[in-house]
Amino acid sequence: MGKHETWVKEKVKMVAVCPWVVNTNLVQSAISTMGEAEKAKKTGSWVHRLIEPADVALAVEQAIVSGETGDVITVGPGVVYYYPDIQKMVFVLYKVIHTILVMVGGSPGLRQSPPGRLGQSLVFLSLAVGLSLSLIVELILASDSFG
């Protein structure tokens, strides 16, 4: 991920533009080698719809003008959107799950947890959250019946 400090100090902005399949000479050359059935299937499909180079150019302009360092812009058929930066969110979630597992004895504290443990951790966390919400709802319903 790009760092804001680099932009401030060096005036370098790091962004990425990820286009779908672009209507270029190379792509047209590949399409011309396809059989008629395959060509009809691909050209009639939304998944294989080509975008124009001008669409990519507009996305690049958007990234330069209004993008933040570390942004990723995806360009597809009829759509341009920023790809969400979820790396930090995933790290924080994993850290919270690991901390809970250490507290309940499900994971060693100072050693790295294996990647397979994440699935187990998510199941554990989901059950804990579900149980907590269930207890809260029961308490609310119980207090309403007394009031």
Side-chain angles (χ1 to χ4, degrees), residues 1-3 14 69-72 85 87:
M1 289 282 111
K3 294 185 178 181
M14 295 163 274
T69 189
D71 281 349
V72 177
D85 178 10
Q87 184 176 5

Side-chain angles (χ1 to χ4, degrees), residues 11-88:
K11 302 295 183 217
V12 174
K13 187 187 301 189
M14 295 163 274
V15 295
V17 175
C18 302
W20 202 256
V21 181
V22 182
N23 188 9
T24 62
N25 292 338
L26 179 65
V27 171
Q28 288 300 327
S29 175
I31 291 172
S32 70
T33 65
M34 293 178 188
E36 289 305 315
E38 184 180 9
K39 189 184 298 185
K41 178 182 174 187
K42 292 199 176 188
T43 56
S45 164
W46 179 88
V47 174
H48 296 97
R49 199 169 108 204
L50 302 178
I51 61 173
E52 295 302 317
D55 297 334
V56 179
L58 286 172
V60 169
E61 180 183 12
Q62 180 180 345
I64 292 169
V65 172
S66 62
E68 298 291 326
T69 189
D71 281 349
V72 177
I73 297 178
T74 302
V75 186
V79 65
V80 175
Y81 62 93
Y82 283 93
Y83 190 80
D85 178 10
I86 62 170
Q87 184 176 5
K88 185 175 181 181

Side-chain angles (χ1 to χ4, degrees), residues 109-141:
L110 296 177
R111 291 186 309 181
Q112 179 180 357
S113 292
R117 181 73 54 108
L118 181 60
Q120 296 169 353
S121 303
L122 288 174
V123 168
F124 171 77
L125 185 62
S126 298
L127 290 172
V129 167
L131 179 62
S132 299
L133 290 175
S134 175
L135 289 173
I136 291 170
V137 168
E138 288 296 323
L139 288 172
I140 291 171
L141 293 175

